[in-house]
PDB file of all heavy atoms in Angstrom:
ATOM      1  N   GLU A 202      82.851 111.540  96.180  1.00 92.00           N
ATOM      2  CA  GLU A 202      83.484 112.673  95.470  1.00 92.00           C
ATOM      3  C   GLU A 202      84.856 112.334  94.916  1.00 92.00           C
ATOM      4  O   GLU A 202      85.310 112.953  93.979  1.00 92.00           O
ATOM      5  CB  GLU A 202      83.554 113.892  96.425  1.00 92.00           C
ATOM      6  CG  GLU A 202      82.279 114.335  96.967  1.00 92.00           C
ATOM      7  CD  GLU A 202      81.980 113.739  98.344  1.00 92.00           C
ATOM      8  OE1 GLU A 202      82.238 112.512  98.495  1.00 92.00           O
ATOM      9  OE2 GLU A 202      81.499 114.465  99.232  1.00 92.00           O
ATOM     10  N   PHE A 203      85.534 111.382  95.563  1.00 95.00           N
ATOM     11  CA  PHE A 203      86.949 111.084  95.222  1.00 95.00           C
ATOM     12  C   PHE A 203      87.102 109.790  94.407  1.00 95.00           C
ATOM     13  O   PHE A 203      88.093 109.659  93.688  1.00 95.00           O
ATOM     14  CB  PHE A 203      87.755 110.964  96.518  1.00 95.00           C
ATOM     15  CG  PHE A 203      87.834 112.244  97.300  1.00 95.00           C
ATOM     16  CD1 PHE A 203      86.822 112.587  98.231  1.00 95.00           C
ATOM     17  CD2 PHE A 203      88.856 113.138  97.172  1.00 95.00           C
ATOM     18  CE1 PHE A 203      86.875 113.735  98.968  1.00 95.00           C
ATOM     19  CE2 PHE A 203      88.957 114.310  97.877  1.00 95.00           C
ATOM     20  CZ  PHE A 203      87.964 114.595  98.786  1.00 95.00           C
ATOM     21  N   ALA A 204      86.147 108.889  94.540  1.00 94.00           N
ATOM     22  CA  ALA A 204      86.302 107.555  93.941  1.00 94.00           C
ATOM     23  C   ALA A 204      86.502 107.633  92.449  1.00 94.00           C
ATOM     24  O   ALA A 204      85.854 108.379  91.732  1.00 94.00           O
ATOM     25  CB  ALA A 204      85.044 106.725  94.275  1.00 94.00           C
ATOM     26  N   GLY A 205      87.480 106.855  91.947  1.00 95.00           N
ATOM     27  CA  GLY A 205      87.763 106.758  90.529  1.00 95.00           C
ATOM     28  C   GLY A 205      88.606 107.883  89.985  1.00 95.00           C
ATOM     29  O   GLY A 205      88.958 107.897  88.791  1.00 95.00           O
ATOM     30  N   ARG A 206      88.996 108.812  90.816  1.00 97.00           N
ATOM     31  CA  ARG A 206      89.827 109.953  90.356  1.00 97.00           C
ATOM     32  C   ARG A 206      91.303 109.673  90.503  1.00 97.00           C
ATOM     33  O   ARG A 206      91.725 108.768  91.261  1.00 97.00           O
ATOM     34  CB  ARG A 206      89.394 111.236  91.103  1.00 97.00           C
ATOM     35  CG  ARG A 206      88.045 111.768  90.733  1.00 97.00           C
ATOM     36  CD  ARG A 206      87.680 112.983  91.554  1.00 97.00           C
ATOM     37  NE  ARG A 206      86.435 113.588  91.062  1.00 97.00           N
ATOM     38  CZ  ARG A 206      86.395 114.656  90.313  1.00 97.00           C
ATOM     39  NH1 ARG A 206      87.490 115.222  89.859  1.00 97.00           N
ATOM     40  NH2 ARG A 206      85.215 115.149  89.911  1.00 97.00           N
ATOM     41  N   LEU A 207      92.137 110.507  89.877  1.00 97.00           N
ATOM     42  CA  LEU A 207      93.545 110.421  89.947  1.00 97.00           C
ATOM     43  C   LEU A 207      94.038 111.219  91.132  1.00 97.00           C
ATOM     44  O   LEU A 207      93.858 112.425  91.232  1.00 97.00           O
ATOM     45  CB  LEU A 207      94.155 111.037  88.683  1.00 97.00           C
ATOM     46  CG  LEU A 207      95.639 110.856  88.441  1.00 97.00           C
ATOM     47  CD1 LEU A 207      95.890 109.480  87.909  1.00 97.00           C
ATOM     48  CD2 LEU A 207      96.148 111.895  87.451  1.00 97.00           C
ATOM     49  N   PRO A 208      94.659 110.516  92.144  1.00 98.00           N
ATOM     50  CA  PRO A 208      95.086 111.253  93.359  1.00 98.00           C
ATOM     51  C   PRO A 208      96.309 112.105  93.149  1.00 98.00           C
ATOM     52  O   PRO A 208      97.313 111.625  92.571  1.00 98.00           O
ATOM     53  CB  PRO A 208      95.308 110.105  94.381  1.00 98.00           C
ATOM     54  CG  PRO A 208      95.665 108.941  93.515  1.00 98.00           C
ATOM     55  CD  PRO A 208      94.878 109.088  92.258  1.00 98.00           C
ATOM     56  N   VAL A 209      96.278 113.301  93.630  1.00 98.00           N
ATOM     57  CA  VAL A 209      97.446 114.220  93.590  1.00 98.00           C
ATOM     58  C   VAL A 209      97.641 114.743  95.012  1.00 98.00           C
ATOM     59  O   VAL A 209      96.710 115.305  95.591  1.00 98.00           O
ATOM     60  CB  VAL A 209      97.211 115.397  92.595  1.00 98.00           C
ATOM     61  CG1 VAL A 209      98.353 116.410  92.668  1.00 98.00           C
ATOM     62  CG2 VAL A 209      97.047 114.880  91.168  1.00 98.00           C
ATOM     63  N   TYR A 210      98.839 114.588  95.547  1.00 98.00           N
ATOM     64  CA  TYR A 210      99.098 114.968  96.914  1.00 98.00           C
ATOM     65  C   TYR A 210     100.260 115.977  96.952  1.00 98.00           C
ATOM     66  O   TYR A 210     101.321 115.702  96.388  1.00 98.00           O
ATOM     67  CB  TYR A 210      99.530 113.748  97.750  1.00 98.00           C
ATOM     68  CG  TYR A 210      99.625 113.993  99.207  1.00 98.00           C
ATOM     69  CD1 TYR A 210      98.675 113.467 100.115  1.00 98.00           C
ATOM     70  CD2 TYR A 210     100.668 114.745  99.749  1.00 98.00           C
ATOM     71  CE1 TYR A 210      98.790 113.710 101.486  1.00 98.00           C
ATOM     72  CE2 TYR A 210     100.776 114.985 101.104  1.00 98.00           C
ATOM     73  CZ  TYR A 210      99.812 114.489 101.963  1.00 98.00           C
ATOM     74  OH  TYR A 210      99.944 114.723 103.302  1.00 98.00           O
ATOM     75  N   ALA A 211     100.064 117.087  97.614  1.00 98.00           N
ATOM     76  CA  ALA A 211     101.116 118.106  97.776  1.00 98.00           C
ATOM     77  C   ALA A 211     101.464 118.254  99.232  1.00 98.00           C
ATOM     78  O   ALA A 211     100.572 118.436 100.085  1.00 98.00           O
ATOM     79  CB  ALA A 211     100.677 119.467  97.226  1.00 98.00           C
ATOM     80  N   GLY A 212     102.746 118.179  99.574  1.00 96.00           N
ATOM     81  CA  GLY A 212     103.185 118.346 100.956  1.00 96.00           C
ATOM     82  C   GLY A 212     104.666 118.692 101.026  1.00 96.00           C
ATOM     83  O   GLY A 212     105.393 118.525 100.023  1.00 96.00           O
ATOM     84  N   ASP A 213     105.123 119.122 102.193  1.00 94.00           N
ATOM     85  CA  ASP A 213     106.472 119.626 102.338  1.00 94.00           C
ATOM     86  C   ASP A 213     107.281 118.806 103.320  1.00 94.00           C
ATOM     87  O   ASP A 213     108.504 118.948 103.367  1.00 94.00           O
ATOM     88  CB  ASP A 213     106.430 121.050 102.804  1.00 94.00           C
ATOM     89  CG  ASP A 213     106.037 121.184 104.316  1.00 94.00           C
ATOM     90  OD1 ASP A 213     104.958 120.677 104.640  1.00 94.00           O
ATOM     91  OD2 ASP A 213     106.807 121.719 105.096  1.00 94.00           O
ATOM     92  N   ASP A 214     106.674 117.994 104.167  1.00 89.00           N
ATOM     93  CA  ASP A 214     107.343 117.467 105.326  1.00 89.00           C
ATOM     94  C   ASP A 214     107.544 115.922 105.200  1.00 89.00           C
ATOM     95  O   ASP A 214     106.937 115.266 104.353  1.00 89.00           O
ATOM     96  CB  ASP A 214     106.492 117.741 106.592  1.00 89.00           C
ATOM     97  CG  ASP A 214     107.309 117.829 107.871  1.00 89.00           C
ATOM     98  OD1 ASP A 214     108.441 117.348 107.831  1.00 89.00           O
ATOM     99  OD2 ASP A 214     106.778 118.344 108.848  1.00 89.00           O
ATOM    100  N   LEU A 215     108.353 115.414 106.114  1.00 88.00           N
ATOM    101  CA  LEU A 215     108.542 113.967 106.163  1.00 88.00           C
ATOM    102  C   LEU A 215     107.219 113.244 106.431  1.00 88.00           C
ATOM    103  O   LEU A 215     106.986 112.137 105.945  1.00 88.00           O
ATOM    104  CB  LEU A 215     109.554 113.603 107.327  1.00 88.00           C
ATOM    105  CG  LEU A 215     110.975 114.045 107.107  1.00 88.00           C
ATOM    106  CD1 LEU A 215     111.770 113.811 108.362  1.00 88.00           C
ATOM    107  CD2 LEU A 215     111.631 113.319 105.930  1.00 88.00           C
ATOM    108  N   THR A 216     106.315 113.912 107.160  1.00 89.00           N
ATOM    109  CA  THR A 216     105.013 113.284 107.415  1.00 89.00           C
ATOM    110  C   THR A 216     104.161 113.143 106.173  1.00 89.00           C
ATOM    111  O   THR A 216     103.218 112.368 106.179  1.00 89.00           O
ATOM    112  CB  THR A 216     104.242 114.123 108.464  1.00 89.00           C
ATOM    113  OG1 THR A 216     103.965 115.413 107.930  1.00 89.00           O
ATOM    114  CG2 THR A 216     105.039 114.274 109.742  1.00 89.00           C
ATOM    115  N   ASP A 217     104.529 113.846 105.096  1.00 95.00           N
ATOM    116  CA  ASP A 217     103.758 113.778 103.845  1.00 95.00           C
ATOM    117  C   ASP A 217     104.251 112.712 102.894  1.00 95.00           C
ATOM    118  O   ASP A 217     103.550 112.451 101.926  1.00 95.00           O
ATOM    119  CB  ASP A 217     103.804 115.169 103.134  1.00 95.00           C
ATOM    120  CG  ASP A 217     103.178 116.235 103.950  1.00 95.00           C
ATOM    121  OD1 ASP A 217     101.971 116.117 104.327  1.00 95.00           O
ATOM    122  OD2 ASP A 217     103.818 117.253 104.240  1.00 95.00           O
ATOM    123  N   GLU A 218     105.399 112.143 103.160  1.00 95.00           N
ATOM    124  CA  GLU A 218     105.971 111.200 102.214  1.00 95.00           C
ATOM    125  C   GLU A 218     105.064 109.999 101.982  1.00 95.00           C
ATOM    126  O   GLU A 218     104.858 109.507 100.883  1.00 95.00           O
ATOM    127  CB  GLU A 218     107.355 110.741 102.677  1.00 95.00           C
ATOM    128  CG  GLU A 218     108.389 111.853 102.595  1.00 95.00           C
ATOM    129  CD  GLU A 218     108.664 112.288 101.184  1.00 95.00           C
ATOM    130  OE1 GLU A 218     108.849 111.434 100.284  1.00 95.00           O
ATOM    131  OE2 GLU A 218     108.642 113.510 100.944  1.00 95.00           O
ATOM    132  N   ALA A 219     104.446 109.508 103.078  1.00 94.00           N
ATOM    133  CA  ALA A 219     103.550 108.345 102.924  1.00 94.00           C
ATOM    134  C   ALA A 219     102.359 108.676 102.079  1.00 94.00           C
ATOM    135  O   ALA A 219     101.882 107.865 101.282  1.00 94.00           O
ATOM    136  CB  ALA A 219     103.140 107.859 104.321  1.00 94.00           C
ATOM    137  N   GLY A 220     101.807 109.910 102.210  1.00 96.00           N
ATOM    138  CA  GLY A 220     100.693 110.320 101.426  1.00 96.00           C
ATOM    139  C   GLY A 220     101.045 110.438  99.957  1.00 96.00           C
ATOM    140  O   GLY A 220     100.272 110.030  99.065  1.00 96.00           O
ATOM    141  N   MET A 221     102.193 110.989  99.655  1.00 97.00           N
ATOM    142  CA  MET A 221     102.629 111.142  98.266  1.00 97.00           C
ATOM    143  C   MET A 221     102.889 109.745  97.675  1.00 97.00           C
ATOM    144  O   MET A 221     102.559 109.516  96.507  1.00 97.00           O
ATOM    145  CB  MET A 221     103.908 112.012  98.191  1.00 97.00           C
ATOM    146  CG  MET A 221     103.577 113.495  98.517  1.00 97.00           C
ATOM    147  SD  MET A 221     104.945 114.615  98.222  1.00 97.00           S
ATOM    148  CE  MET A 221     105.909 114.368  99.715  1.00 97.00           C
ATOM    149  N   ALA A 222     103.500 108.869  98.467  1.00 97.00           N
ATOM    150  CA  ALA A 222     103.754 107.519  97.957  1.00 97.00           C
ATOM    151  C   ALA A 222     102.431 106.751  97.622  1.00 97.00           C
ATOM    152  O   ALA A 222     102.333 106.087  96.632  1.00 97.00           O
ATOM    153  CB  ALA A 222     104.570 106.688  98.958  1.00 97.00           C
ATOM    154  N   GLU A 223     101.450 106.983  98.488  1.00 97.00           N
ATOM    155  CA  GLU A 223     100.123 106.352  98.271  1.00 97.00           C
ATOM    156  C   GLU A 223      99.502 106.884  96.993  1.00 97.00           C
ATOM    157  O   GLU A 223      98.908 106.111  96.204  1.00 97.00           O
ATOM    158  CB  GLU A 223      99.244 106.580  99.456  1.00 97.00           C
ATOM    159  CG  GLU A 223      97.834 105.926  99.383  1.00 97.00           C
ATOM    160  CD  GLU A 223      97.861 104.409  99.451  1.00 97.00           C
ATOM    161  OE1 GLU A 223      98.918 103.843  99.904  1.00 97.00           O
ATOM    162  OE2 GLU A 223      96.897 103.799  99.034  1.00 97.00           O
TER     163      GLU A 223
END
Side-chain angles (χ1 to χ4, degrees):
E202 302 93 319
F203 297 85
R206 289 176 173 262
L207 188 79
V209 174
Y210 188 110
D213 74 304
D214 205 345
L215 293 172
T216 63
D217 297 305
E218 291 296 311
M221 291 188 279
E223 182 69 19

